[in-house]
Amino acid sequence: MEDASISAGDAVRRDLGARPLWSRLHLPWVAGALFLLLLPWATRNAYHHYILNLILINVILAVGLNIVKGFAGQVTVGHYAMAAIGAYASAVFAAKFGVPFWLALPAATLFTGLVGAIVGIPAFRLEGAYLALATLGLAESVRIAIGVTDYLGAAVGFSDIPPPVFFGRPVVDHIAYYYIVMPLALAGIYFSFCILRSDIGRSFKALREDSLAAAACGINVRKYKLLAFLISALYAGCAGSLQAHMAPGFLHPNSYTITEMVTLLLMVVMGGLGHIWGGVIGAAIVTVIYDLTRDYYQYQMAIFGMVIVLTVMFMPRGIGGLIDDYLAKRRFVAIRRAKANAA
Amino acid sequence: MLLEVTGLSKRFGGLVAVSKLDLSIREGEIRGIIGPNGSGKSTLFNLISGVYQAEPGGRIVFAGEDITGYPSHEIARRGIARTFQLLRIFTQMSVLENLLIGYHPHVRYGSAAATLGSASVWTEERRLKDEMMELLGFIGLTDYAEIPAGELSIGQRRLLALGRAMAMRPKLLMLDEPAAGLSPVNVDKLLSTVLALKQRYGLTVVIIEHILKVVMESCDTVTVLEHGEKIAEGAPAAIKDDHRVIEAYLGKEMGDAEVRAFLKAS
Ligand SMILES: Nc1ncnc2c1ncn2[C@@H]1O[C@H](COP(=O)(O)OP(=O)(O)OP(=O)(O)O)[C@@H](O)[C@H]1O
Ligand SMILES: [Mg+2]
């Protein structure tokens, strides 16, 4: 006799594969959005609201880094410098040219995307540690250049960056700012799912695994490397702009050092390279840990670096791997139960 | 001629791997390429598929277009698919995904649409998944669609490598030792799959093979290489009587009893 429960499950699965992503993820997304809409009201503590915004900005950064590093396998250490470029570009647009936040954000995002594509060019010839060194060099030059440029506030910092203005009212309150950051973070996650599950995501994975074989399959390896750098820089640019305009509207080159980059790497590695939800969870956990250990700033890089190494050694698929294993096990148990019931 | 190669050479330092080679492949034929180990067979494939750049003076013309010096992906897009001697399938991706990668040149939506998750992307994805499932059925791996390619057996991997090349919908299919390491039963299975695919899609096939049975039974013409040079070319029956071919094989470790027996007796 036909096993009804299992074939029904298969039918659902087949059906799911056919429907567009927005409809496929309908329910979880709606429930999640509702939760996120109400989330800041769970606490009255303004500092918690600030941390919440920080988490969401880091989610955007981590999801973006995951695209270039997790999907496409390009070892870049320059992602944080991209955020710096986005932040300072947005600050210049808004503070020096009076461009409103709503225009400065997309402009800074696009500008950073462009710079990111250029930074991706060394990836044509370099791989692994060499690419990491090249991008590290570029990133450090960006930070140092900012630190000596008076126009950008040099080592004093860039202050008085205007906040977003919403219907004539400046958004300085962290709860209000949350409602700008949160939708952008959600959009970032959504786009990265779309990318991963399309031909672009497949091409990224192919060039990560074997770029020679990918080229033999007709994949323009350079184009896709560039695309990965460009997309991830768009994320970083957007996150940077959000950093710039968040109260108190102040930027300093010291918030874009190699320590911050290591922190960002930890988010993605802990979450599981190439795993989108893992990266989101990693961003949340690491942001909180980073903030709690602020007093020990000088040790952070060493400790975070060590945690990265340990994670790679003992939990190479990260939190995302644990989630996947759990889901696979649950599905296995469900199928076995369905079979037992049918018998 | 579908493929016209003239004066093709490749040097690695002092070693001449391929030397002033001429090769013409007629549309619709099955060409066998044989030769002892290190005679330059794989290097020839790597030159044609753009993995290596030929020395100046060599020319590769495919379907009337001079593709000399083109990058790999451009050559693939023009209809030349190849498999690798070491397979190079994507072991971390599912079997179905491997085929979808092969189908990449024919995906019809753009990067922007894919990023925004437009509905047209998902209808197209469904269409190409259906198409790849059909191909998967053809190579007999339907049940393994969702399984990581790294978990397949060696025989299944060879079939997948063949499938990935076929997913590119090529005009010319170049197979580098597709049957190596397979049991006789699996060799026959692979061979019949290749022949069926050729019939079905109207392919031209170039096949490098050490297993002489494969070459002798299924090829229209056989080209023999030694030290990067062509030492003989012709119908299988004529080739196996050619004294230079016999010498080339007998001189090497390839000239074991089995080959000797096959070349002389059959
Ligand atoms: N990338 C490379 N660098 C240096 N030498 C190479 C390279 N690729 C091939 N060779 C050399 O070129 C010669 C031809 O190699 P090739 O792989 O084309 O031989 P083949 O006919 O495919 O042999 P086999 O039957 O063992 O696969 C060999 O001597 C090999 O060592
Ligand atoms: Mg070879």
Side-chain angles (χ1 to χ4, degrees):
Chain A
M1 209 184 86
E2 167 99 38
D3 186 346
S5 51
I6 290 176
S7 56
D10 279 353
V12 169
R13 215 153 53 88
R14 223 172 297 134
D15 189 42
L16 284 178
R19 279 158 51 200
L21 189 62
W22 54 266
S23 108
R24 206 185 328 170
L25 295 175
H26 218 57
L27 252 172
W29 280 87
V30 166
L34 226 97
F35 168 77
L36 287 173
L37 275 177
L38 300 174
L39 184 61
W41 302 97
T43 162
R44 299 174 74 87
N45 186 332
Y47 187 71
H48 291 165
H49 297 147
Y50 164 74
I51 292 293
L52 201 55
N53 287 339
L54 223 51
I55 289 177
L56 288 169
I57 291 175
N58 283 337
V59 163
I60 300 175
L61 279 172
V63 168
L65 179 60
N66 215 353
I67 290 171
V68 68
K69 194 164 185 315
F71 300 175
Q74 300 301 300
V75 190
T76 168
V77 193
H79 198 62
Y80 222 84
M82 293 299 117
I85 289 169
Y88 276 87
S90 199
V92 166
F93 292 151
K96 308 275 186 189
F97 297 103
V99 178
F101 166 81
W102 309 105
L103 278 179
L105 172 84
T109 304
L110 288 178
F111 177 73
T112 313
L114 228 96
V115 177
I118 295 168
V119 170
I121 290 174
F124 288 172
R125 313 200 128 257
L126 303 175
E127 266 177 14
Y130 299 101
L131 182 58
L133 272 179
T135 50
L136 175 66
L138 279 169
E140 282 294 279
S141 348
V142 167
R143 183 178 63 83
I144 292 163
I146 292 171
V148 297
T149 307
D150 290 330
Y151 184 73
L152 299 175
V156 181
F158 197 131
S159 46
D160 298 324
I161 301 162
V165 176
F166 192 66
F167 287 110
R169 289 178 50 188
V171 181
V172 284
D173 181 49
H174 281 305
I175 284 205
Y177 202 69
Y178 171 88
Y179 290 102
I180 297 172
V181 183
M182 186 267 287
L184 285 171
L186 277 188
I189 295 172
Y190 169 76
F191 290 146
S192 90
F193 267 109
C194 291
I195 291 166
L196 180 65
R197 297 194 181 170
S198 71
D199 185 62
I200 305 181
R202 274 197 302 271
S203 305
F204 283 167
K205 287 198 282 182
L207 74 92
R208 172 184 71 187
E209 215 181 298
D210 187 339
S211 56
L212 201 149
C217 291
I219 292 173
N220 184 343
V221 171
R222 290 184 171 197
K223 175 184 153 189
Y224 280 89
K225 279 186 179 174
L226 216 60
L227 196 60
F229 275 93
L230 178 123
I231 294 173
S232 82
L234 288 174
Y235 277 81
C238 173
S241 171
L242 290 170
Q243 287 170 339
H245 296 276
M246 182 161 68
F250 176 72
L251 290 175
H252 195 279
N254 277 1
S255 7
Y256 298 101
T257 66
I258 186 72
T259 304
E260 276 69 28
M261 185 61 219
V262 171
T263 312
L264 193 52
L265 272 179
L266 177 60
M267 295 174 193
V268 178
V269 170
M270 191 190 247
L273 281 173
H275 196 287
I276 298 172
W277 286 124
V280 172
I281 296 169
I285 295 175
V286 175
T287 306
V288 171
I289 294 176
Y290 177 83
D291 194 73
L292 291 176
T293 57
R294 250 180 191 290
D295 293 341
Y296 309 99
Y297 185 81
Q298 62 270 42
Y299 306 117
Q300 269 179 339
M301 186 162 109
I303 294 173
F304 287 1
M306 231 145 69
V307 178
I308 290 182
V309 172
L310 290 176
T311 312
V312 168
M313 279 169 63
F314 297 109
M315 205 171 67
R317 285 163 62 229
I319 295 170
L322 297 181
I323 297 176
D324 284 351
D325 289 348
Y326 172 74
L327 291 178
K329 203 163 113 189
R330 230 179 49 165
R331 213 172 96 190
F332 177 72
V333 170
I335 289 176
R336 207 169 52 179
R337 190 171 303 147
K339 271 188 182 156
N341 285 345
Chain B
M1 287 295 155
L2 182 63
L3 182 76
E4 191 91 66
V5 170
T6 41
L8 205 64
S9 307
K10 180 69 192 172
R11 265 194 298 273
F12 296 108
L15 178 91
V16 182
V18 170
S19 169
K20 300 221 183 64
L21 194 76
D22 297 336
L23 188 70
S24 298
I25 310 287
R26 196 166 29 80
E27 188 149 5
E29 79 168 305
I30 300 188
R31 171 68 60 98
I33 296 188
I34 61 173
N37 288 108
S39 54
K41 306 181 294 296
S42 297
T43 305
L44 173 64
F45 272 19
N46 285 333
L47 287 169
I48 295 172
S49 63
V51 174
Y52 296 149
Q53 295 302 317
E55 309 298 333
R59 231 164 77 95
I60 307 166
V61 177
F62 178 69
E65 185 183 6
D66 188 342
I67 58 167
T68 320
Y70 278 24
S72 243
H73 67 270
E74 288 292 345
I75 292 171
R77 280 174 173 269
R78 276 162 180 72
I80 301 184
R82 53 91 48 101
T83 64
F84 293 89
Q85 193 165 356
L86 298 174
L87 299 179
R88 305 190 84 129
I89 54 171
F90 302 108
T91 52
Q92 291 164 28
M93 299 169 85
S94 76
V95 168
L96 182 61
E97 275 181 309
N98 267 273
L99 294 193
L100 286 166
I101 289 290
Y103 200 70
H104 169 84
H106 308 287
V107 172
R108 285 193 292 236
Y109 54 77
S111 305
T115 307
L116 298 176
S118 92
S120 66
V121 170
W122 302 104
T123 45
E124 167 79 350
E125 278 287 300
R126 179 174 171 71
R127 182 188 73 78
L128 47 98
K129 269 182 192 139
D130 285 348
E131 211 162 307
M132 289 306 105
M133 285 309 286
E134 193 200 324
L135 178 58
L136 217 48
F138 218 92
I139 57 173
L141 291 178
T142 309
D143 293 342
Y144 300 90
E146 305 288 336
I147 287 180
E151 291 176 18
L152 296 181
S153 72
I154 178 72
Q156 290 167 333
R157 285 176 194 227
R158 294 214 171 269
L159 284 167
L160 179 58
L162 175 65
R164 187 178 70 182
M166 278 311 300
M168 295 164 68
R169 301 277 181 258
K171 297 194 194 87
L172 175 66
L173 178 64
M174 306 199 298
L175 304 171
D176 196 344
E177 301 196 23
L182 296 187
S183 67
V185 180
N186 281 330
V187 170
D188 287 342
K189 215 157 86 184
L190 189 104
L191 213 60
S192 58
T193 309
V194 172
L195 290 177
L197 285 169
K198 177 191 178 319
Q199 286 305 327
R200 163 110 201 240
Y201 296 102
L203 285 171
T204 307
V205 182
V206 182
I207 180 164
I208 294 177
E209 195 47 80
H210 273 319
I211 305 174
L212 290 169
K213 176 173 173 287
V214 172
V215 180
M216 297 300 162
E217 282 174 7
S218 47
C219 295
D220 305 314
T221 314
V222 178
T223 302
V224 189
L225 299 187
E226 193 193 10
H227 299 311
E229 286 177 41
K230 182 154 82 180
I231 58 166
E233 192 167 74
I239 284 298
K240 69 175 188 244
D241 293 332
D242 189 303
H243 72 280
R244 292 196 62 183
V245 180
I246 297 171
E247 267 168 31
Y249 273 89
L250 290 181
K252 308 276 168 193
E253 77 266 44
M254 271 300 299
D256 55 25
E258 186 204 342
V259 176
R260 205 180 315 215
F262 192 91
L263 283 172
K264 288 198 168 147
S266 72

